[in-house]
Amino acid sequence: MVKIKEFRIVMPMSMEEYEIGISYTIMKMEQQNTNSKEGVEVLQQVPFEDEKLGKGQYTSKNYHLQSKIPSWMKGFAPASALTVHEESWCAYPNSRTVIKCPLFSKCSLTIDTVIRPDNGCSENAHNLTSEQLDAREVEVVDIASQSRDYWSKVISAPNVDLTAFRSQRTSRGPLLKGWMDSCRPVMTTYKLVIMDAPIWGLGERLEDCIIAGERALFLACHRLCFAWIDEWYGMTLDQIREMERQTDLLLKKTLNKPAKAGSKHDGKRKTLKEEIVAVGSCT
């Protein structure tokens, strides 16, 4: 059974600021979670142009995070088989991410992201059909909240109390009760997670596990995006792109991975349209 869950993550910043802040946060988290044995391997970061999304940046990554996989899942295969491959097409303010794992080749996980300058009030940001709307579950994620589930523990992000945090450079915060209704500027990232695991006896458990993991990652990443606002506030997109190039090299060096053919920041990539066809009815 295909599961559709939409996470609405409200942020105390403008859409322009968020584009800088979330890119910075992802890079910093990847550096903190990469060592000589496991972490994030950036394979490609190149421009793309697609008739649906327009122009943007294509990114291909491998995640070697075997120590963070639940023990019940490790029993199915050796650690090497649990490497996760991610492809993303980002044409801000919209993007699509497709995540695959060789061990579960029949499974599909897509994350469609739409960003809007509101506080989570758009009821159909993804233009879903009536059938998809009936199947969709919606959760508004408060970045001022904290979770203590399995995934939140293994992500092990720095713990910052956003109900007490105040940015020195922007004077934003603390995020007190009701902040999503009163803060300005404000924007929301609408993340539509579509998970299909057609595996008899395991599918539902795997779907719930992966969606819970995505939720924990969304929460940790967006909490830190605001907590680190004084680090990235005022940066430009050109500075972010240069940081991405440097981070790519740093991650490869840390993981002791040689540079692969096609890993430079240019070249022809598979289009989003081709990936949509591959994903098929699950989207």
Side-chain angles (χ1 to χ4, degrees):
M1 178 179 176
V2 178
K3 288 200 173 183
I4 304 176
K5 185 156 185 177
E6 181 181 295
F7 296 96
R8 302 178 183 178
I9 310 164
V10 183
M11 297 293 287
M13 59 190 65
S14 68
M15 288 178 58
E16 294 75 17
E17 292 167 345
Y18 177 77
E19 184 176 12
I20 300 292
I22 198 66
S23 298
Y24 176 91
T25 303
I26 290 171
M27 284 187 288
K28 186 170 179 178
M29 290 183 71
E30 288 176 346
Q31 291 180 27
Q32 292 180 342
N33 286 279
T34 299
N35 55 48
S36 61
K37 295 182 179 180
E38 63 177 27
V40 184
E41 178 187 4
V42 180
L43 303 176
Q44 282 190 319
Q45 285 183 320
V46 296
F48 83 93
E49 185 171 357
D50 182 86
E51 60 186 39
K52 180 178 180 179
L53 284 180
K55 295 182 179 181
Q57 178 167 277
Y58 167 86
T59 304
S60 174
K61 300 177 181 179
N62 279 337
Y63 290 87
H64 308 276
L65 302 174
Q66 288 78 13
S67 69
K68 300 182 185 298
I69 300 297
S71 57
W72 64 267
M73 195 179 294
K74 295 177 183 178
F76 290 97
S80 58
L82 294 173
T83 294
V84 175
H85 181 63
E86 175 189 281
E87 292 184 288
S88 66
W89 294 260
C90 181
Y92 197 81
N94 302 316
S95 68
R96 163 164 288 199
T97 299
V98 177
I99 299 175
K100 300 175 181 178
C101 177
L103 177 62
F104 301 108
S105 59
K106 294 182 179 180
C107 302
S108 65
L109 172 62
T110 65
I111 304 169
D112 287 327
T113 301
V114 173
I115 298 165
R116 292 197 172 176
D118 61 30
N119 66 343
C121 59
S122 296
E123 288 307 315
N124 192 9
H126 294 274
N127 297 318
L128 301 180
T129 65
S130 57
E131 280 188 8
Q132 290 173 318
L133 288 172
D134 289 340
R136 179 193 66 173
E137 179 184 350
V138 175
E139 179 181 350
V140 178
V141 179
D142 184 356
I143 65 169
S145 66
Q146 298 186 49
S147 295
R148 293 178 174 81
D149 60 354
Y150 170 82
W151 287 112
S152 297
K153 292 178 181 178
V154 299
I155 291 173
S156 64
N159 187 20
V160 180
D161 184 1
L162 296 185
T163 65
F165 170 79
R166 183 174 179 82
S167 165
Q168 295 182 354
R169 299 186 65 184
T170 67
S171 298
R172 298 175 199 171
L175 302 184
L176 304 177
K177 185 177 180 179
W179 72 268
M180 288 185 281
D181 297 321
S182 59
C183 81
R184 296 293 183 274
V186 68
M187 49 75 56
T188 300
T189 176
Y190 294 82
K191 290 190 171 290
L192 186 72
V193 180
I194 303 177
M195 178 69 191
D196 184 22
I199 304 175
W200 186 85
L202 179 65
E204 185 173 358
R205 184 180 185 185
L206 183 60
E207 289 168 351
D208 290 341
C209 176
I210 298 302
I211 290 177
E214 292 298 330
R215 182 197 183 278
L217 186 58
F218 295 156
L219 178 59
C221 185
H222 287 80
R223 280 174 52 80
L224 291 175
C225 182
F226 183 53
W228 292 337
I229 189 170
D230 289 342
E231 299 180 24
W232 57 258
Y233 185 77
M235 293 183 67
T236 66
L237 274 177
D238 286 341
Q239 290 174 313
I240 288 293
R241 294 295 173 251
E242 178 58 30
M243 285 185 64
E244 287 174 343
R245 284 188 281 270
Q246 296 300 322
T247 299
D248 183 350
L249 296 173
L250 176 62
L251 295 178
K252 281 185 172 65
K253 183 177 180 180
T254 303
L255 268 173
N256 296 319
K257 296 283 184 179
K260 294 183 178 181
S263 63
K264 295 182 179 179
H265 295 254
D266 54 19
K268 185 177 180 181
R269 292 295 339 129
K270 178 167 54 174
T271 68
L272 175 60
K273 183 178 180 180
E274 290 172 331
E275 186 57 49
I276 291 175
V277 172
V279 173
S281 61
C282 293
T283 62

